[in-house]
Amino acid sequence: MFLNHFEYFAPKTPAETLELVACLGSKAKILAGGTDLMVVMKAKAISPDYLIDINGVEEFKGIFCEQGKGAVIGTNTKLAEIQFSEAIQAKYPALAYAAGEVGSSQVRQMASLGGNSCNASPAAETPTPLVAMDAKVVLSSILGERELPLEEFILGVRVLDLAEGEMLTKFVLPEPKLKSACRYAYMGRRDAMEIDCVNMAVTIELEDDGEKVKNIKLVMGSVYPRPLVSKEVTALLVGQKLSDQLIEKAAEAAQGEAKPIDDIRASAEYRREIVKVLARRLIKEAYTDAKGV
Amino acid sequence: MEKKVLKSKWNLTPEGWNLEGVPSSQDEKRYTQVGRSVPRIDGPIKVKGEAIYTGDMTLPGMVYGKIKRSTYAHAIIKKIDCCKALKLPGVLAVLTGDEAPNKWGIVPQAANETVLAVGKVRFYGEGVAAVAALDEETAEAALELIEVEYEPLPVLLDPFQSMERSQEVLIHEDSKGNIMHAGEQVYGDVDKAFAECEYVLEREFHTNYPQHGFLEPHSALASYDTQNGQLHLWASSQIPHYLHRQMSIVLEIPMNKIRVTLPTIGGGFGGKGEAAPSEFVACLLSRKVGRPVKVVYDRQEVFYTNKGRHPCHMKVKMGLDKDGYIQAVDFDNTLDKGAYSGWGIVVLFYTASMIHLPYKVPNARFRGRSVYTNKPSTGAMRGLGGVQPRWALECLMDEMAEMMGISPYELKLKNAIESGHTCINNMFVPHSEFKKCLETAVKKSGFLEKQGKLPFGKGIGMAGGYYITGTAYTLYQNYKPHTTVMIRVDTEGGVTLLCAAAEIGQGCNTVMAQMVAEELGIQYEDVHVQSGDTEIGAFDLGSFASRLTYAAGAAIKMACVEINQSLKETAAGMLGVRADQLVIKNHEIYSMYEIKKRISWEKAIEVYTSINGTLVGMGNFSPPRRKGIDIISGNRVQGANIGHSPTFGFSSQVHEVEVDVETGRIYVKKVTEAGDCGTPVNPMCVDGQVEGSIMFNIGACLYEDQKLDASGKHLNPNFHDYKTPTTMEMPEMDTNIVESYDHSAPFGVKETGEGAVQPTFPALTNAIYDAIGVRFYTLPITPEMVLKALKDKKEGEL
């Protein structure tokens, strides 16, 4: 249960951090909250030679949320801050809710939003709603920055589209569209300290008539190596006025797309069953909310 | 009419009696210290984080011990090579099983465990070697350098498979058929009784493999003095004296050279009710290196080695006459013992005794066997031996009530025992308010108005239960008292209780202080408690079987008789009255007839000690020893001594659930409980015990199960994957203490720590049936099982 011997750096500025990331490359790991990193290091699943502790870098923390301009969230913003942020609760309630469902209160005080994505666990809570709301990640290096959708950043279990010398520095969330709503739900055995057996987020945007679906994005977590964006639900529901039958059909479509596995937490069969239930409930909920009823 | 308030300088009891002139024989219920929800004496330091646990302790020169664990569930050890480990700088010693081959175990007749495996490993994670090193990191690194060569044997993980394949492979050479022990108990004519029954039902039930989930892992710190051969062990244990004895056997040193001290204990629930390899390894290594050695398990090691609840495979048959009176019970139980015997025989026969209460059963038959498997051993866990059969019997009765078309409440009330009941196996219940428990829980929950009438997905269920208040027999094969206490009174220290009771978080130190204060006529804050030490305190059996409040209470009462008599005699001389007419209350000694003749208690102490020195009272407790016989034939019945107790506590619970019929998740919304714990010495502690008990078994009923893969390796040896319910899952609780006073018990007390775990499985299972119309016979009841059952039910209806 002991960590391997590593060299520890605690930079104070983004420039120092990026310099270290450039020099040390993949031999280094970024230490933000450490709630996942320390666990895998203790289990000897990884043994990095260097740790770069970014907790001293103020620029990596904080929520910048302006009316009409979406939001920018620093990579090392603690999940508890997101959970309790009034601005996030008002504009991105699904994200605030998902952040509040990670681990325990103690974990959320430590864990960061960036870490929850960079750990690239299929069961992670926050990537699901972030993908559903079209969040982008900003990847920085000493050479500059690039931006890409979160769903293209997380490639698989513990696999990221991160080049040597790059690190995730912030999330960019677009302003929610008019007549739209995003909702998140999860299923697990208990309501705290839980690793979800399925989680899901749905964003629905309506046409000006307030009835027909202009756009819908359903994202599933824990049923695929990375957040899985349903193609079929979008194809089925765009341009439609939703009915119970149509929602049921969409839920079954999502169920068909999910590729869950059997593990200690749940069987694949049960997970598929839950995908349908959550999809049905979330589409209804998001639709109702988007309509503003 | 307003009650007249008597203004008097003399104290009145809650009933309004004047204390004066009441003979003490009629005075037993006029308590001032017992029956109060006083704050726990260990509360503040625990809340502030200042309590010292074994893991917090450091001694000068202390080094660290760690245990290398088997990677096979069943294998012959061909070779252990420690050379490389010994060469690692910082490593002081290595220990292997053959260095301490004496067998230990809580039941002397069946002791078959060694400190580290000798020749063979029998479960995945069993210790095969240990190291002592200057720091933990070096110790861990050294374990990697120990090379063990194994020859794998077939792995038996299921008791039926284990019996079936016993010709091919034996887990213990001396246990034929892989059966640790088998027993049969027959009372009355069961077959004849069944033949005459109007209603007969038989079902099979299968329980799961949960563990205690205490927060503090097994921890031990040993210091062996090479100069005088004295060993001092600090350990997280529930049983300082049993541990003391085992240590003497394994280390081959006399008991008087060993001292066991309990620092603060972070929970036990039965899991620390046996000695643990951590304790032996710390002691053996300390003797080897001549320095203090600390061994603290990580959570994975706790899961590998801790002795959780026996999975039971039970066939239960019950017969009722046309009026619903139980005529016969036939109970067949196959218990999954895991690798070593431990508490095994005791648990086997506890399950047998559980069919005799809390309902009247005139004819009963038990057949049972405890079977070795290549799993971590099972052992004592809160409500040992009771939880599994209680679940089966209470669920069966729920089903039978439905057969008869009556409420399960009616069926249970009709058959409930009352005070003075003698069971067919000669178990005697001096006092019972079980009927009051059933009535209270049912009435307060509105059970009768709700059962069968709630919408689909919502349900309500009830069950009863009981548990022992200490055992009648020790495992010492010796008739000595089960508890001895000493109370010291002087002007310097005030009042100090010296004993070896184990405060494991259940609150015994607080409760004992209340009882001492009550007897001596002082306040509980005035009593110092020195417990959990085999050198400071005299013999105590330990904290298990819900025995301490009763046993310590009886011993305290006896010790206080001596003290009070000496003080009364001293005061009598000073006051010029007869000693036998004196009363001691509220720090005063006064004549019950001449109320002006009084002196302060402290003054009497001062006078007594100035003449005689310190005042000491000794007290002890031995339980009644009724034999386990068939009361009709008078014949001895094997194992039937087990289950007897000085008195019994009772509980009834009503659970209300909501089932999400789409996801299968079960939400426990409300639990109404009514318990008969006799006099609640500290009602707040009782509430804590009862709420804790209910959550404990909601966990094992719906969430908790240890999973092993086909090779016997643990799949969930951590709190990540072994899911206990959290506070988020805690239902609304309405716990009630029914009016009860057992005149045969000290202060009228009974158990409360284990009775309330008994009705939880069946009340919940019955509530789930009421919600969705499906009866479950396997635990834990998971969302997947619920969904599958609903699907099967739907298909069956089509």
Side-chain angles (χ1 to χ4, degrees), chain B residues 54 57-59 62 219-223 232-234 282 292-295:
Chain B
T54 309
M57 293 180 65
T58 308
L59 292 178
M62 185 181 88
S219 315
L221 167 58
S223 178
H232 194 167
L233 169 66
W234 291 263
V293 177
K294 183 158 83 173
V295 178

Side-chain angles (χ1 to χ4, degrees), chain B residues 284-299:
Chain B
L284 288 160
L285 284 174
S286 178
R287 184 165 69 176
K288 209 164 175 179
V289 304
R291 294 167 72 161
V293 177
K294 183 158 83 173
V295 178
V296 177
Y297 283 178
D298 60 33
R299 185 57 57 183

Side-chain angles (χ1 to χ4, degrees), chain A residues 1 189-191 267 270, chain B residues 140 662-663 702 724 729 784:
Chain A
M1 282 296 163
R189 293 287 294 280
R190 56 187 183 188
D191 284 331
S267 70
Y270 180 73
Chain B
E140 198 175 277
E662 290 184 341
T663 63
L702 302 180
T724 61
E729 279 70 50
E784 299 206 41

Side-chain angles (χ1 to χ4, degrees), chain A residues 1-5 39 44 101 186-195 264-267 269-270 273-274 277-278 280-281, chain B residues 66 136-137 140 298 660 662-665 667 702-703 707 715-716 719-724 726 728-729 782-784 787 791:
Chain A
M1 282 296 163
F2 284 88
L3 304 176
N4 61 295
H5 288 231
V39 176
K44 306 263 192 293
E101 291 301 323
Y186 68 94
M187 176 64 197
R189 293 287 294 280
R190 56 187 183 188
D191 284 331
M193 300 293 295
E194 185 57 327
I195 298 168
I264 180 104
R265 277 164 221 135
S267 70
E269 191 191 343
Y270 180 73
E273 204 53 47
I274 295 305
V277 175
L278 291 187
R280 186 199 304 135
R281 289 179 181 179
Chain B
K66 282 210 178 285
E136 281 185 274
E137 209 173 337
E140 198 175 277
D298 60 33
D660 183 333
E662 290 184 341
T663 63
R665 232 184 106 167
Y667 297 87
L702 302 180
Y703 301 90
K707 302 264 191 201
L715 291 171
N716 54 347
F719 283 148
H720 231 89
D721 294 317
Y722 179 90
K723 291 187 196 300
T724 61
T726 71
M728 299 294 287
E729 279 70 50
T782 63
E784 299 206 41
L787 273 199
K791 206 172 151 194

Side-chain angles (χ1 to χ4, degrees), chain B residues 252-285:
Chain B
E252 295 178 342
I253 50 181
M255 285 204 274
N256 64 24
K257 287 282 188 189
I258 302 171
R259 175 180 182 184
V260 176
T261 301
L262 307 187
T264 313
I265 309 289
F269 309 105
K272 294 168 185 168
E274 288 184 58
S278 50
E279 292 150 359
F280 295 115
V281 165
C283 291
L284 288 160
L285 284 174

Side-chain angles (χ1 to χ4, degrees), chain B residues 101-141:
Chain B
N102 291 358
K103 304 245 167 88
W104 62 274
I106 189 118
V107 182
Q109 305 91 313
N112 68 352
E113 213 162 334
T114 49
V115 174
L116 298 165
V118 177
K120 180 174 170 176
V121 291
R122 295 179 175 86
F123 65 95
Y124 188 100
E126 183 169 2
V128 289
V131 297
L134 292 177
D135 57 72
E136 281 185 274
E137 209 173 337
T138 306
E140 198 175 277

